[in-house]
Amino acid sequence: RSTLFPYTTLCRSIREEKHLEAKTLSLLTGIDAANLCRIEQGKQSVGIDVLSKIANAMGYKIEFVELKK
């Protein structure tokens, strides 16, 4: 399972909330639909760059937030 699994499943939830089919998101991101499904299921390892591309295509961005001590 990908170490970013919680975030990839979040991407799936957002995609479904926006009523986007994986095929449509695939066209928006340039990521093969089958790979996109594997990413969402945590079966394919993904880097922050790919995760960011998916998020951006759905109108979101990934930010680094400083943890308060």
Side-chain angles (χ1 to χ4, degrees):
R1 231 172 230 210
S2 168
T3 56
L4 294 174
F5 179 67
Y7 305 103
T8 58
T9 56
L10 178 61
C11 284
R12 182 180 190 155
S13 296
I14 293 168
R15 177 178 62 76
E16 290 173 347
E17 284 176 16
K18 291 185 167 280
H19 304 288
L20 281 173
E21 293 184 14
K23 187 176 183 179
T24 304
L25 187 57
S26 170
L27 293 172
L28 292 171
T29 60
I31 300 169
D32 181 74
N35 288 341
L36 197 55
C37 287
R38 284 191 289 275
I39 290 167
E40 289 181 343
Q41 295 169 357
K43 293 181 178 179
Q44 182 168 321
S45 184
V46 62
I48 195 76
D49 57 331
V50 173
L51 190 59
S52 182
K53 183 186 282 190
I54 294 168
N56 290 343
M58 295 189 296
Y60 286 78
K61 67 179 178 178
I62 297 174
E63 292 184 316
F64 289 96
V65 180
E66 183 178 3
L67 297 174
K68 302 285 182 184
K69 290 186 181 183

